[in-house]
Amino acid sequence: MSFPKNFLWGGAVAANQCEGAWNVAGKGVSVPDVITNGSHTAPRRIEPSLDGAYLYPSHEAIDFYHHYEEDIALFAEMGFKMFRTSINWTRIFPTGEEEEPLEEGLAFYDRVFDCCKTYGIKPLVTISHYELPYALAEKYNGWTDRHLIQLYEKFCRVLFERYQHKVTWWLTFNEINTSTLYTGSMLSANNIKGFSGSLADLADRPQERFQALHHQFVASARVVKYAREHYPQFQMGCMIGFLPDYPYTCNPDDVLETQKHMRMVNWFSSDVQVRGAYPGYAKRLFRENQITLQTEPGDLEDLKAGTVDFYTFSYYMSFCVSTDPGAEITEGNLLKGARNPYLEVSDWGWQIDPKGLRYSLNEIYDRYGIPVMVVENGLGAYDTKAEDGKIHDDYRIDYLRQHIEQMGEAIDDGVELIGYTPWGCIDLVSASTGEMAKRYGFIYVNKFDDGTGDLSREKKDSFYWYKKVIATNGEDLEG
Ligand code: BGP
């Protein structure tokens, strides 16, 4: 197995899960800033009161805002070629509606990108990673309102102009397909206006989710079109939370249900963003879910003109689909699904399926034929220090090794895979639970669920292992 010569090895984070500094330098309140911590068993809460009765993990997170130089130096030591991060919208436009951007916010990302440049690391920037200004969630009910398209366009134009010489690789929305699922109500903040309480009690409104998604599609397409006209050097990508499904049995009912699920969850959004039009199956999907989209003249032309250059996705697990109501269910990223008896699960119940990554890569590349990147992958696990004070995370090395092996197989199969940025290359706040205890990093951060910890950084065994993987361009995967 051999990885291409210029393969983009790296790691990924999102601003809201690592930066902290939630209210410095004029930054506004973003949606994650009003979400409390939770756990594997207790759901997070939206509590906009910010009155101190709750712990809000994004407020300090791992304080990447003040530690970015040290952290990027560690990424460079591992040999990163690419670093994926996002721009916290409220650092640039505190409520999303200001006329002028905040200079201090822009200057922060200048410093981050300049630091990457010193080490020859290419930034991969997610423009929106679940980081909507809270003011827009309150005033407009998030993306359900068409007005957000122009606010997002303004935000993007500012970013493109400012960072045109520092950033080439852009992703318009993180896991845009979450709005095809219940989870999208919270993550894309299209249903939290006026809400406070447990996320488990958030109502689901498919009509609003899909309307919001339409607005995101149009916004994405318009900025891709704009980038193509003004910055032809840019590479514009989509980002999908990919959760491959297997039929639980060969009963044709299970097979058909699996196909339906694959379309809805995995293909729907990228069919629009890569092929430039709603897929044929959309009509029935809308009819069966009582969804009527409001569109405006020009929307469909924009979708056609604003197709992406490359496809990226997160990959953590696969599911089974069963028409048997008694099928055993397991936890997962973004949704739950039927349990696969052939697979192990992580401490958080996520099924571990390296071969599912090879399968996904092949399915994706067969369908679209454009370059592909895996921009999230990894094992959320409890790390404990051994007697020697170190973290020997052989379980994480095993997980990553097996997934990298399968990426190699997929390349051998003919997939044009150009990069790999595993998730949470440094420990950070979990998106689903708000925990610090669910760790993904090669770098340990002394920060705990109760908010304590001195934020110091330490290298785990996986740090040295990944360094070797990169140095040998994926040839040496041994621990
Ligand atoms: C993805 C998100 C990330 C990240 C990851 C791991 O869906 O894009 O932001 O958090 O999942 O999930 P968690 O943090 O819940 O373990």
Side-chain angles (χ1 to χ4, degrees):
M1 133 183 129
S2 75
F3 284 81
K5 205 166 117 267
N6 298 322
F7 192 75
L8 295 163
W9 297 99
V13 299
N16 75 87
Q17 289 168 258
C18 73
E19 283 177 4
W22 73 291
N23 60 359
V24 309
K27 181 184 167 297
V29 177
S30 71
V31 171
D33 294 332
V34 302
I35 305 183
T36 70
N37 63 344
S39 73
H40 188 183
T41 46
R44 304 183 72 178
R45 301 175 66 82
I46 296 189
E47 292 294 349
S49 61
L50 297 173
D51 63 4
Y54 296 97
L55 206 148
Y56 298 91
S58 74
H59 290 194
E60 184 182 58
I62 59 159
D63 198 22
F64 177 80
Y65 188 85
H66 295 108
H67 290 251
Y68 71 91
E69 282 177 293
E70 176 188 354
D71 295 342
I72 295 170
L74 288 165
F75 301 154
E77 194 182 326
M78 279 187 276
F80 278 23
K81 319 278 180 225
M82 177 163 265
F83 172 49
R84 174 179 177 229
T85 189
S86 64
I87 307 256
N88 222 324
W89 192 335
T90 53
R91 247 185 235 301
I92 315 296
F93 291 103
T95 68
E97 296 207 272
E98 292 75 7
E99 282 303 313
E100 294 301 321
L102 267 183
E103 175 52 33
E104 279 185 271
L106 290 169
F108 168 66
Y109 294 104
D110 269 324
R111 295 196 292 277
V112 170
F113 301 146
D114 289 344
C115 187
C116 287
K117 196 168 177 207
T118 322
Y119 297 107
I121 298 174
K122 294 180 172 66
L124 167 62
V125 173
T126 317
I127 297 167
S128 179
H129 192 127
Y130 306 145
E131 283 144 350
L132 193 75
Y134 183 65
L136 299 182
E138 270 299 290
K139 181 166 170 190
Y140 296 105
N141 202 16
W143 280 96
T144 56
D145 194 310
R146 208 181 155 86
H147 186 61
L148 264 76
I149 298 175
Q150 70 200 64
L151 297 176
Y152 177 84
E153 284 183 276
K154 178 179 67 177
F155 175 44
C156 291
R157 281 197 296 267
V158 166
L159 302 184
F160 293 169
E161 171 68 18
R162 178 78 171 216
Y163 305 125
Q164 57 180 301
H165 302 298
K166 302 182 181 182
V167 178
T168 305
W169 300 84
W170 301 88
L171 304 175
T172 52
F173 289 93
N174 183 60
E175 295 181 336
I176 194 168
N177 58 320
T178 46
S179 287
T180 64
L181 303 163
Y182 162 65
T183 337
S185 304
M186 184 274 276
L187 292 170
S188 287
N190 53 44
N191 191 22
I192 64 166
K193 182 180 164 71
F195 179 83
S196 70
S198 164
L199 284 172
D201 298 329
L202 198 58
D204 185 25
R205 302 198 183 98
Q207 165 66 34
E208 298 188 2
R209 279 197 274 118
F210 278 89
Q211 187 63 53
L213 184 56
H214 176 71
H215 295 149
Q216 291 187 324
F217 286 153
V218 173
S220 173
R222 284 195 190 169
V223 302
V224 169
K225 202 169 105 182
Y226 179 84
R228 204 155 277 149
E229 284 160 11
H230 295 83
Y231 309 99
Q233 75 275 23
F234 283 4
Q235 293 291 314
M236 305 297 297
C238 63
M239 199 300 200
I240 303 293
F242 201 87
L243 295 144
D245 296 314
Y246 308 137
Y248 191 74
T249 70
C250 52
N251 179 338
D253 286 340
D254 280 357
V255 176
L256 276 173
E257 195 58 28
T258 304
Q259 182 181 55
K260 191 172 164 187
H261 202 256
M262 278 295 285
R263 284 173 163 174
M264 166 82 118
V265 178
N266 296 304
W267 298 130
F268 180 78
S269 302
S270 49
D271 280 354
V272 175
Q273 293 192 289
V274 181
R275 292 172 162 167
Y278 279 100
Y281 55 82
K283 267 197 185 136
R284 182 163 183 175
L285 188 156
F286 289 154
R287 192 176 71 234
E288 290 182 350
N289 291 282
Q290 292 85 46
I291 291 158
T292 316
L293 278 197
Q294 304 293 320
T295 62
E296 283 197 2
D299 282 4
L300 300 184
E301 287 74 12
D302 283 338
L303 296 184
K304 188 135 239 99
T307 55
V308 294
D309 302 308
F310 66 111
Y311 176 106
T312 80
F313 67 111
S314 60
Y315 178 81
Y316 295 92
M317 77 200 65
S318 62
F319 282 123
C320 289
V321 173
S322 170
T323 47
D324 173 3
E328 188 191 340
I329 298 299
T330 189
E331 302 284 319
N333 188 22
L334 311 177
L335 77 165
K336 297 180 183 186
R339 176 91 171 83
N340 185 333
Y342 297 97
L343 301 177
E344 303 282 316
V345 296
S346 77
D347 289 338
W348 276 261
W350 295 17
Q351 299 192 138
I352 299 173
D353 182 13
K355 288 182 182 156
L357 177 55
R358 175 181 179 185
Y359 170 73
S360 302
L361 282 163
N362 276 286
E363 289 289 300
I364 291 162
Y365 191 67
D366 282 358
R367 195 172 182 106
Y368 301 128
I370 59 173
V372 180
M373 267 191 218
V374 178
V375 296
E376 284 186 32
N377 172 237
L379 180 70
Y382 294 105
D383 288 333
T384 42
K385 290 192 178 165
E387 275 178 14
D388 61 3
K390 303 227 161 73
I391 289 143
H392 303 299
D393 54 342
D394 44 314
Y395 38 89
R396 182 168 293 109
I397 293 174
D398 280 348
Y399 178 103
L400 294 169
R401 179 198 296 119
Q402 291 175 43
H403 284 78
I404 294 173
E405 273 167 6
Q406 294 302 320
M407 292 192 320
E409 294 288 347
I411 291 170
D412 235 8
D413 293 335
V415 175
E416 194 184 345
L417 176 63
I418 57 171
Y420 179 57
T421 57
W423 178 250
C425 46
I426 180 165
D427 291 348
L428 39 58
V429 175
S430 157
S432 57
T433 66
E435 292 166 291
M436 273 306 303
K438 190 179 189 190
R439 295 174 185 272
Y440 286 87
F442 303 112
I443 301 163
Y444 185 85
V445 179
N446 275 293
K447 174 80 194 272
F448 307 101
D449 286 342
D450 60 2
T452 62
D454 65 7
L455 297 170
S456 59
R457 275 63 170 153
E458 291 166 43
K459 298 168 193 172
K460 305 181 193 175
D461 283 0
S462 56
F463 180 99
Y464 302 99
W465 172 81
Y466 193 46
K467 181 178 174 174
K468 191 173 65 174
V469 171
I470 298 178
T472 61
N473 199 30
E475 296 278 321
D476 186 354
L477 300 178
E478 288 317 305

